[in-house]
Amino acid sequence: MNRPVPNPGILDIAPYTPGKSPVPEPGRKVFKLSANETPFGPSPKAMEVYKETVAHLEDYPEGTSRVLREAIGRAYGLDPNRIICGAGSDEILNLLAHTYLSQGDEAISTAHGFLVYPIATMANGAKNVVAPETNYTADVDAILARVTPKTKLVWLANPNNPTGTYVPFDEVKRLRAGLPGHVLLVLDAAYSDYVSRNDYELGLELVATTDNTVMTHTFSKIHGLAALRIGWMFGPAHIVDAVNRIRGPFNVSTPAMLAAVAAIEDTAHVQKSKAFTEEWRNVLTEEIGKLGLKVTPSVANFVLIHFPNEKGKTAADADAFLTKRGLVLRALNNYGLPHALRMTIGTEEANRLVIDALRDFVAAK
């Protein structure tokens, strides 16, 4: 073939497919509840700082995101030198895979884990090994059972997207203790800000006390900065050093960096969003459950709704029904969940409309 050929395995990767975006129609209000975006938007303080940066767009960013690493360090009590910032936590996940995976290696993810994990794994020539879940929750024993001499990395979203479930910290520690020392455990805590459980922790303790654990986080969720692509990682010094060697020197823009600093310091905005999410997560779970539909218990800013495999009542039927009403949820065929829809917790108006629409859908003959 007289043209460039991709590396082996690249064309075997299923491309990431985001939730569909609504198409506005005259006279119809549309609610996008497919991408886990916050209905509150970013902190007004972050928006103000962002606007101020336009006067200096000709300047390169400070290459190490120092001011943001220091702000994160203050907020979490961490050493800024052990923090890396990236263009969304997605970039950091890919950098970790590029640093620690190569041809012939294996990485483990769970059955309904974030789709970026297999993409990052396979893009570096490694094999994606899938561990089954129990009740849509990562199963530590199932992960450990799939460790081989080729295993170099384990991906664990905690809480998990798209199921909304979480692994208690004692179980995370058991996982770390059961993995060989050369296996890197990646704790993806993108949705951690929404959790209110006593047995949950980010994993900072494990990162601080081991040489083979990192934690990634994002400003795209509760901080509402998804459009700016900003995330971060806390890790052991030797891992930070290795990843920094391949990280782009200006991978985080100045507007994103400074807006993120303002966002993390606006704790009132975060608490307001968390309280609203928790209230409506409970309401949606209860009200949708009353309709005879199963909702997986969630600790995140979305709920997983299950539908029967009956003609006219499937998840696909519900998706079409809701979309006609301007309510756009996330179909999950690519996550191996064809009988479920994921609903981001939206505004009070949107949430009530979904409950009403599902009531009509269930009742329809």
Side-chain angles (χ1 to χ4, degrees):
M1 184 181 294
N2 191 23
R3 64 183 185 186
V5 177
N7 286 333
I10 293 296
L11 296 183
D12 296 327
I13 299 173
Y16 183 85
T17 50
K20 62 184 177 183
S21 295
V23 179
E25 294 182 11
R28 188 183 75 173
K29 193 170 184 179
V30 176
F31 297 90
K32 181 186 175 189
L33 305 172
S34 59
N36 295 342
E37 297 155 340
T38 171
F40 287 97
S43 159
K45 297 176 181 178
M47 290 191 284
E48 188 60 35
V49 169
Y50 179 83
K51 292 174 185 176
E52 292 172 359
T53 65
V54 300
H56 299 284
L57 296 184
E58 74 279 10
D59 297 335
Y60 279 103
E62 190 280 312
T64 71
S65 304
R66 178 183 56 81
V67 293
L68 178 53
R69 289 187 294 108
E70 290 175 350
I72 295 168
R74 289 192 299 271
Y76 289 90
L78 304 176
D79 179 359
N81 293 321
R82 293 178 59 178
I83 296 171
I84 286 177
C85 296
S89 55
D90 292 356
E91 182 194 23
I92 296 171
L93 299 175
N94 278 283
L95 286 172
L96 287 167
H98 191 45
T99 304
Y100 291 100
L101 295 176
S102 60
Q103 197 75 34
D105 292 336
E106 294 178 354
I108 300 173
S109 59
T110 65
H112 307 301
F114 188 32
L115 291 178
V116 166
Y117 305 152
I119 293 174
T121 295
M122 296 171 69
N124 289 280
K127 178 183 177 182
N128 177 56
V129 176
V130 179
E133 299 175 356
T134 300
N135 296 325
Y136 304 103
T137 305
D139 186 319
V140 168
D141 290 320
I143 294 172
L144 293 175
R146 281 153 183 79
V147 175
T148 74
K150 295 181 179 180
T151 306
K152 297 294 176 62
L153 190 150
V154 171
W155 306 103
L156 181 66
N158 200 28
N160 186 55
N161 170 33
T163 63
T165 56
Y166 77 104
V167 179
F169 190 51
D170 283 348
E171 283 292 281
V172 177
K173 288 191 289 187
R174 186 167 74 86
L175 173 61
R176 176 66 276 171
L179 292 171
H182 71 275
V183 175
L184 175 63
L185 175 60
V186 180
L187 302 175
D188 181 351
Y191 295 92
S192 59
D193 297 298
Y194 295 105
V195 184
S196 299
R197 299 293 179 92
N198 292 333
D199 59 351
Y200 174 84
E201 290 187 30
L202 279 168
L204 298 177
E205 173 191 319
L206 274 182
V207 178
T209 58
T210 66
D211 287 328
N212 43 17
T213 312
V214 299
M215 186 220 68
T216 64
H217 206 347
T218 181
F219 283 88
S220 297
K221 305 307 175 187
I222 205 165
H223 294 296
L225 298 179
L228 297 187
R229 310 310 305 127
I230 180 86
W232 58 281
M233 179 192 87
F234 176 57
H238 67 97
I239 292 179
V240 169
D241 173 63
V243 173
N244 267 329
R245 292 170 186 265
I246 62 170
R247 177 184 60 82
F250 306 111
N251 63 325
V252 179
S253 72
T254 300
M257 193 188 318
L258 298 182
V261 171
I264 203 170
E265 292 176 348
D266 191 351
T267 55
H269 186 79
V270 171
Q271 288 304 315
K272 179 178 70 172
S273 179
K274 181 177 182 178
F276 176 90
T277 300
E278 187 165 2
E279 175 188 356
W280 275 98
R281 188 170 62 210
N282 293 335
V283 170
L284 288 164
T285 301
E286 181 179 353
E287 294 300 319
I288 296 172
K290 288 178 182 177
L291 303 177
L293 299 172
K294 179 186 174 185
V295 180
T296 297
S298 173
V299 296
N301 69 328
F302 54 85
V303 291
L304 184 67
I305 308 167
H306 302 266
F307 294 83
N309 189 20
E310 301 173 6
K311 186 177 180 180
K313 297 297 179 183
T314 66
D317 295 323
D319 191 25
F321 186 93
L322 292 166
T323 300
K324 287 181 180 179
R325 293 199 178 188
L327 302 167
V328 181
L329 276 60
R330 177 72 181 267
L332 298 169
N333 294 313
N334 53 345
Y335 275 99
L337 294 165
H339 305 305
L341 296 177
R342 189 192 68 193
M343 174 194 170
T344 304
I345 296 167
T347 62
E348 179 173 349
E349 179 185 9
N351 298 336
R352 292 192 185 281
L353 286 172
V354 170
I355 294 171
D356 291 342
L358 285 175
R359 183 179 296 113
D360 292 345
F361 172 73
V362 169
K365 300 297 182 181

